[in-house]
Amino acid sequence: MTAEQKNFLYAALILITLAGVFLRFWGVIEQPPIHDEVMTAYAADSYIERGQFMYVMPHHPKLRNILVDLSMNMFGRGAAGLRGFSLLFGCLSVLLLGLLLYRISSNTTASCLAAFFLAVDPMHITFSRQAIQEVHTTFFFILGTLLAVLSVRDEKEEMIWWLLPLSGIVFGLGLASKGHALFPLLVCIPYIISKTLKLKDPGLTIFAILSLTVLPLTVFLLTYIPWFDRGYDLSDWLFMQQALSKEIATHQGSSGDVFKYTQAWQWFINPLMAYGNFSYSGGKPHVTVAMGNPLVWLLVLPSSFYLLFKALKQKKGLIVLFLFWIPYLPLALALRPIQMLSSLGVIPFAFCLVGLTVSEIKMKTGAKYFYAYLTAVLLAAMLLYPLAIGKALDYGYLRSITERANPHTINQNP
């Protein structure tokens, strides 16, 4: 890659990231918090001060509580304090995803497309503006994967070994946010081990294994220090993790919740899947609806099948497919309800698949259709943007989507 091409890539990714920053920060201070965000503040207080799992999502890991407590201490207990790390991680994820796909594919167009899809995706924007941990997890597993693949220097018979413990630490932070970070880690471990085995360096192989197994587990464990301070020991922690894992595997929602659109296998098939949250402020209701951009989401499965055929034929390029399918299949096949916020665990890699496919179509059909598609994606994203920022009720053309996303409508598939 020439210096000019690198400069173009970096400039394009920076511009796309800045667009993502604008969409995530616009009006976020005035957007009223939803119930889960309010409870997140209390959960952070409870965990840091008393080591207790209380108020919201007690079955998930605890890094969110630590980060929210830190940001509230820095920025107060308003929107900035609650959402500070979600906003930061959501914006940085856009840039990191583009860099990751370029490192894997060396495809400038696809890398910019993946970053663009994430930057304007209403689903990712929605949770970048909320205090819960979905975007935290996404950020950490994108960065962890990027550090892992950067450690491999294809042009030389060596590895940048010091990136491996950094990757392990970051994956540990991802696991301490939510279990979705485990799946990209499970892809990176055999990938890195296969590279070290080619170097015939047993010491490096052992170092890589320890960096991507023991180190993430240690970081995960350290985030429970407030809980250990209550007098518990490691055996109690293991028992507690077993109980929480069982709860996660069988979780049906909180008492009184009515779920709809809980089947993950439909995410990339049903273009109108969405989930709404309600808050009341300033004398009027505010509804936030999490929904993906159908012009991108509907291309995910066709792109994955096309790239799988191509990868099997050329015997390369399977890692992006693994990064998508390994986390997606357990969710798609799950017997319990899976809320749409869990899609944040797969859509970054889904957008990589679409980016790679669209970039190939561009080469075959020319720029005219390519730019027409990008314009349509951006237009759809802007039309759906009010849903992501709590203004779903302010625009009549969004009423049908808002009504379909009402979580208290019992029919799950209207």
Side-chain angles (χ1 to χ4, degrees), residues 35 55 58-59 247 251-259 275 339 408:
H35 176 267
Y55 299 114
H59 49 289
E247 167 62 17
H251 187 61
Q252 298 293 316
S254 303
S255 176
D257 281 348
V258 179
F259 295 106
Y275 189 83
Q339 294 190 61
H408 304 292

Side-chain angles (χ1 to χ4, degrees), residues 314-336:
Q314 298 181 353
K315 307 298 182 185
K316 64 178 183 179
L318 286 171
I319 186 171
V320 180
L321 288 159
F322 283 129
L323 286 169
F324 169 72
W325 282 104
I326 294 299
Y328 178 54
L329 279 177
L331 297 171
L333 299 176
L335 298 179
R336 74 169 181 85

Side-chain angles (χ1 to χ4, degrees), residues 45 50 96 100 168 174 207 244 255 284 332 352 400:
D45 293 339
R50 299 180 295 278
L96 292 175
L100 172 60
F207 179 78
L244 293 180
S255 176
K284 68 175 185 177
C352 289
S400 63

Side-chain angles (χ1 to χ4, degrees), residues 356-371:
L356 288 167
T357 300
V358 172
S359 68
E360 290 209 9
I361 294 174
K362 176 193 174 187
M363 290 189 295
K364 295 178 180 178
T365 62
K368 180 173 67 173
Y369 296 107
F370 172 76
Y371 289 115

